[in-house]
Amino acid sequence: MQTNLNNESDLTAEQYQRKMQRRKEVQQERVAKASLEKGLIIVNTGNGKGKTTAALGMVLRSLGHGYKVAIVQFIKGAWEPAEKAVFSLWQDQLVFYAMGEGFTWETQDRERDIEKAQAAWQTALTFIANPDYKLVLLDEVNVALKLGYLQVNDILAGLEQKPADTHVILTGRGAPAELIEQADLVTEMTLIKHPFREQGVKAQPGIEF
Amino acid sequence: MQTNLNNESDLTAEQYQRKMQRRKEVQQERVAKASLEKGLIIVNTGNGKGKTTAALGMVLRSLGHGYKVAIVQFIKGAWEPAEKAVFSLWQDQLVFYAMGEGFTWETQDRERDIEKAQAAWQTALTFIANPDYKLVLLDEVNVALKLGYLQVNDILAGLEQKPADTHVILTGRGAPAELIEQADLVTEMTLIKHPFREQGVKAQPGIEF
């Protein structure tokens, strides 16, 4: 009989126990080796869903730990009512700022878009430099970079001002290579299947906003 | 002069306006075409970070809309204190259930692991079938499938019991092909860079838990 060691279902109780014991040891070794605490530069990019929502999940965890958090939203003009309703529960711990003026394809005025993005970035910088904030989320900032509203060198210089234990999350498709190079944790969200395109399902509350 | 039409920075004001106008039209066409509302089967898989946190972000949005949400956590034994602290703010809207007993490699008892996973699945089924819940999150259920604690056919049959407008999110690496086939929205989180492995940075509050 051929034994498939990758499938736990086929293992005897003893084999299972040995495998899980080994897994536990590997896990303990990894935890023992990883001893450094460090504020991370985190990038969520790719053309799939989950870049912003994963960042919001981290915001949620940080709030649960009692940390102060700042969120600056680039590109989108305003917070969705549901997000606003949730954020408002943590007025003592959370500040949030939106660039204003709706999606860029609504305005069609490049100069104004650049001004708004630059103003949002200046606001973001004050949070990044402020040690009271443990987590700063720059939502959709990669798109602002891609559209040329912001310059990657300015972002990298700004990130160097962050206190050692502050985490900064940068989201949006098309993260530039220079940013990925400087980041500690980079995840690419890849679209495998999307109902919006494939089934004509519309953006729905709770899913897209 | 060579013009790079992919880089908005090089466009004249008029070209920019035309490009953004076209983008707006494309967006409007897409929204007009997508008219269907549908409860989605959502899968977050891959070996990167953000599978659970993206699901938590969707939970957050749903709570902000006033919807009822159920979370069942497979594999992990208990909720982290920070997540618990946050969830507890929504006792009227949110129920959460953990499989119990710590990570599987802590127990090394296959029979008990299977029993716990099956009990968690039975609990999940009651939420999936209950139309009061608009969103059900089955956290790390793909890992329970991979370990052979649950069978994919049982999961697929269970998903068929869900009311038409209920969303179900299934997370965890190694989602089986049959589940991806039945899902509406599938995202693969791909690890590009991770500080835990590359820099010896340990799991930190707000990031991993």
Side-chain angles (χ1 to χ4, degrees):
Chain A
M1 196 192 85
Q2 207 190 349
T3 309
N4 177 1
L5 285 177
N6 290 318
N7 190 345
E8 280 85 352
S9 323
D10 298 337
L11 302 180
T12 65
E14 199 192 333
Q15 285 171 323
Y16 181 83
Q17 195 181 7
R18 215 179 308 133
K19 181 161 184 173
M20 290 297 147
Q21 175 63 34
R22 178 67 195 132
R23 228 183 240 204
K24 184 179 174 179
E25 286 163 11
V26 169
Q27 177 68 5
Q28 282 171 338
E29 276 165 35
R30 281 176 64 186
V31 170
K33 263 193 239 163
S35 54
L36 187 66
E37 278 201 38
K38 183 186 173 184
L40 303 175
I41 297 172
I42 299 169
V43 175
N44 292 350
T45 193
N47 64 353
K49 279 189 67 70
K51 299 181 288 292
T52 293
T53 39
L56 290 177
M58 281 193 184
V59 166
L60 201 83
R61 285 180 174 158
S62 286
L63 293 171
H65 283 286
Y67 300 147
K68 283 200 170 197
V69 177
I71 311 182
V72 178
Q73 195 179 54
F74 293 84
I75 305 303
K76 278 190 198 172
W79 293 99
E80 295 291 344
E83 289 166 357
K84 222 166 167 174
V86 168
F87 293 162
S88 304
L89 291 175
W90 280 283
Q91 289 187 350
D92 297 342
Q93 276 175 261
L94 178 65
V95 290
F96 52 103
Y97 176 93
M99 185 172 123
E101 302 287 329
F103 272 104
T104 180
W105 48 76
E106 293 294 338
T107 70
Q108 299 159 36
D109 179 342
R110 182 170 171 77
E111 286 314 309
R112 195 173 61 173
D113 289 347
I114 290 176
E115 270 168 38
K116 296 279 173 191
Q118 293 285 349
W121 171 240
Q122 291 306 318
T123 304
L125 269 182
T126 65
F127 298 129
I128 291 171
N130 184 341
D132 290 347
Y133 292 93
K134 176 80 174 168
L135 175 65
V136 180
L137 164 56
L138 308 180
D139 193 41
E140 300 285 7
V141 70
N142 296 337
V143 177
L145 285 165
K146 198 167 180 300
L147 289 168
Y149 300 165
L150 301 174
Q151 302 305 315
V152 69
N153 287 340
D154 293 338
I155 304 294
L156 297 180
L159 291 173
E160 278 175 12
Q161 292 177 35
K162 84 171 184 62
D165 63 350
T166 300
H167 305 295
V168 180
I169 313 179
L170 303 96
T171 76
R173 55 179 71 194
E178 301 93 316
L179 176 61
I180 289 174
E181 174 62 31
Q182 186 156 332
D184 300 291
L185 171 59
V186 180
T187 309
E188 184 177 353
M189 278 67 175
T190 309
L191 181 72
I192 307 291
K193 234 180 177 184
H194 198 302
F196 193 87
R197 291 190 189 173
E198 288 157 30
Q199 300 176 40
V201 173
K202 69 179 183 182
Q204 296 179 95
I207 305 298
E208 272 86 9
F209 57 90
Chain B
M1 198 191 85
Q2 209 192 348
T3 309
N4 177 2
L5 286 176
N6 290 319
N7 189 344
E8 281 83 352
S9 322
D10 297 337
L11 302 181
T12 65
E14 201 193 332
Q15 285 171 325
Y16 181 82
Q17 194 179 5
R18 217 180 305 133
K19 181 162 184 173
M20 291 297 146
Q21 175 63 32
R22 178 67 195 132
R23 226 182 241 204
K24 184 179 175 179
E25 286 163 11
V26 169
Q27 177 67 7
Q28 282 171 338
E29 277 165 36
R30 282 176 62 186
V31 169
K33 264 193 240 159
S35 55
L36 187 66
E37 280 201 36
K38 183 186 174 185
L40 302 176
I41 297 172
I42 298 169
V43 175
N44 292 348
T45 192
N47 64 353
K49 279 188 67 69
K51 299 181 287 292
T52 293
T53 39
L56 290 177
M58 281 194 186
V59 167
L60 200 83
R61 285 181 174 158
S62 286
L63 293 171
H65 284 286
Y67 301 147
K68 283 201 168 193
V69 177
I71 311 182
V72 177
Q73 194 178 54
F74 294 83
I75 306 304
K76 279 189 197 171
W79 293 100
E80 295 291 344
E83 289 166 357
K84 224 168 167 172
V86 169
F87 293 161
S88 304
L89 290 176
W90 280 282
Q91 289 186 351
D92 297 341
Q93 277 174 259
L94 178 65
V95 291
F96 52 102
Y97 175 93
M99 186 173 122
E101 302 286 330
F103 273 104
T104 181
W105 48 77
E106 293 294 338
T107 69
Q108 300 159 36
D109 179 342
R110 179 168 172 78
E111 287 314 309
R112 194 173 61 172
D113 289 347
I114 290 176
E115 269 168 39
K116 296 278 174 193
Q118 293 285 349
W121 171 239
Q122 291 306 318
T123 304
L125 269 182
T126 65
F127 298 130
I128 290 170
N130 183 341
D132 291 347
Y133 292 93
K134 175 79 175 168
L135 175 66
V136 180
L137 165 56
L138 309 179
D139 193 41
E140 300 286 6
V141 70
N142 295 336
V143 178
L145 284 166
K146 197 167 179 302
L147 290 168
Y149 299 165
L150 301 174
Q151 301 306 315
V152 67
N153 286 340
D154 293 338
I155 304 293
L156 297 181
L159 291 174
E160 278 175 13
Q161 293 177 35
K162 85 172 184 63
D165 63 350
T166 300
H167 304 296
V168 180
I169 312 180
L170 303 97
T171 76
R173 55 178 71 195
E178 301 92 315
L179 175 60
I180 289 174
E181 175 62 29
Q182 186 156 330
D184 299 291
L185 171 60
V186 181
T187 308
E188 185 176 351
M189 278 69 174
T190 310
L191 181 72
I192 306 290
K193 233 180 176 182
H194 198 302
F196 193 90
R197 292 191 188 171
E198 289 155 29
Q199 301 177 38
V201 173
K202 70 179 183 182
Q204 296 179 96
I207 305 298
E208 271 86 10
F209 56 90

